Amino acid sequence: MGRNKKAKKQIPLFDNQKKYNRLACGLIFVLVFVLYGNTLFNKFALDDHNVILNNEQVQQGISAIPEIFSTPYSTEEGLAYDYRPLVKASFALEYSLWGLKPFRHHLINLLLYALSGIILFRLLRRVLQKYHPVLPLMAALIFIAHPIHTEVVASLKNRDEIISLIGALMAVRFLFRYADSGKIKYLGWMTFFFVLGLLGKRTTMTYLAVFPFALYFFTDLPLKKIYRTFGLILGIFFLVMIAYMALTPQEVRPLQFFENPLYSEGGALMKVGTAFTAVAFYLKQLFVPYPMLSYYGFDAMPVGWNGIWPFAGLLLTAALLYFAIKGLKNKDILSFSIIFFFITISIVSNIVVPVPGIVADRFALSPSIVFSIMAAILILKLAKQKAAKQPKISKAVLILIIILIPYSVLTIDRNKDWKNHLTLFSNDAGIAKSSIKLQALAAEAWSNKVIYDNKFGRDISKIPENRQKVISYYQDALKIYPKNYEVLNNLGSFLSLEMREYEQAKPYLEEAVQISPYEAAAWFNLGFVYEQLEDLDKAEKAYKESLKLNPGDYKLKSYLANLYFKSGKSREAFELNEQMAKSHPDWDQPYINMGNYYLQMQDTLQAIGQWEQAMERYPQYQMGINISRHYRAKGDDEKSKYFYRKAMQAYQRDREKTE
């Protein structure tokens, strides 16, 4: 019954390329979801609201994509931020598919991050051919697990960093294919992916300087051919950049002092000192990624030559450049890693232009690649693993696990901070007490909670405690920089518009208009405070001053119209509201105002008529309830039920928006 069986030949894992690649890609994919799976339950945080939740283009869905490719990435209060159409287009597509679902948006971020890790692994297999075959996988796993990437993955807005990286890495892959085969089609694919990355974020441009070094270190091309190839690439990308610059809308993004003091002061020497500070910061974060913050800025990070940071950065730069030059001739991997590091941080080092926040954890995404490679090489050396042989790798795996465990703990824990505005800014402001921006952001987050709780009757007993948190955060920011217009205005606005503490708000707003008399917002808020304190002449002057600076602000005109009525100038009040109703026919406020005027004039019928017109334009809960009660008292059940339904629809809409 027995038969001869040939023993199957056991193929080592690393010799079976397809099996190894599948296993490695699967491991990377699983690790991403193990480490970042808890972000799936996060809400929107930081700039997600501006880019997704409150972005009109995104909420138009696919139909807005042509417009997205001709407009800035983000606009806010007259400012225009950068050009990243591919990222915003992805949000618009997702909105068309399922609306505003944080879970699904975060899922896409995870999938893109996993894809970037897989592409990196495949690229490293080509780059690190002379090393042990386990090295690319180890480097990719370290890259995936590095805690400094939590900002990139957990923040939906920072999808731009992932898309930029994917485009850049794919461009390098096809550059090698062109170098290995000489087929011109690979240059076409390289161009395509480079442009893809560029449409994600323009920091992809730094990889243009990486290309010649990649050819020199990792191909056998003679220098003359490298020069010719790079010259050809430059020619192609010169044409690409002409088209890109033609498409790119003008950026209006003035930095404020607390974002980066280099914007308003300091020359070349100060920029150089700040650049060395950035070098020291990024190296420190790569080796010891703690603490991690969503924002740094003044005074959390020094600028110029203040403190030890710039001098540490200078010494580290000198030492690294020495090793880079020393290993250049022998094409040493350390030499390439150092060059890659400096190229990829150049655009975010403040040496070219001031960077918002001075530094940011997300900017270390590309630089962390070389850190991951060097860490993997060091692990193999510690495990006494030789590059050319393939003995058991248990010792190297053990060392890798020892590194990945604390990384994983930090990553998973940091993801929790990104749950929403409140958790993120409360945590970060508590760590970086010298960051003006973080203190202000924490104050704003708690302010929004107080407003929400007031509106919907939640946590009423905690409102006084939370109110004090708002004031404390704002006052901490003012201790760092007392002349901060934005903080003064926001604190005054919170105390007046939300807390109705007008006397307490007045000095902050008066100081704000003294510091920055050309800001319409503070003049409006001050006018509102004067109005509530019955100083109507000062209120009218302040409103008119605000209107001079922002003549198109029809909401301000509404306040001025109401002030006219309060001051006994009823004719001016009605005329201004009628003008607004004609110029903004879909706006409800003029009808609300005139309804209120008629009610005070004891003309209920006219008042109800005006409010009905307001409800048809934009239903509001309390107004709908009042109209419903009016018709119920009149015995008109049909109209009473109609306006009650509109009131409840408005309530649900407002609740969903606030949540």
Side-chain angles (χ1 to χ4, degrees), residues 123 207 237 273 286 303 311 337 357 366 398 454-455 461 493 507 575 587 632 640 642:
L123 178 60
Y207 275 77
F237 287 112
L286 288 174
V303 294
F311 298 99
S337 298
S366 279
L398 179 61
N454 253 332
K455 188 168 186 176
S461 63
S493 173
E575 285 178 354
W587 192 34
R632 186 173 60 190
S640 177
Y642 173 77

Side-chain angles (χ1 to χ4, degrees), residues 41 109 139 216 552 646:
F41 306 99
N109 260 30
Y216 171 74
K646 291 187 81 69

Side-chain angles (χ1 to χ4, degrees), residues 469-520:
K469 286 180 181 178
V470 175
I471 296 171
S472 296
Y473 280 123
Y474 276 135
Q475 288 180 340
D476 285 346
L478 289 173
K479 287 175 187 175
I480 304 166
Y481 185 52
K483 300 292 184 181
N484 191 317
Y485 157 79
E486 186 176 294
V487 170
L488 288 164
N489 179 56
N490 289 349
L491 176 53
S493 173
F494 172 74
L495 289 171
S496 59
L497 297 176
E498 306 305 335
M499 293 289 100
R500 301 179 183 178
E501 298 172 7
Y502 307 114
E503 286 290 355
Q504 291 90 332
K506 185 168 73 167
Y508 294 112
L509 294 170
E510 288 177 336
E511 180 71 11
V513 298
Q514 287 293 320
I515 291 170
S516 189
Y518 303 108
E519 296 285 350

Side-chain angles (χ1 to χ4, degrees), residues 456 618-621 646 648-658:
F456 294 106
Y618 189 80
Q620 294 192 33
Y621 171 71
K646 291 187 81 69
M648 296 312 297
Q649 289 169 4
Y651 178 85
Q652 187 62 32
R653 175 202 65 209
D654 292 344
R655 185 168 183 174
E656 287 175 358
K657 277 190 174 183
T658 310

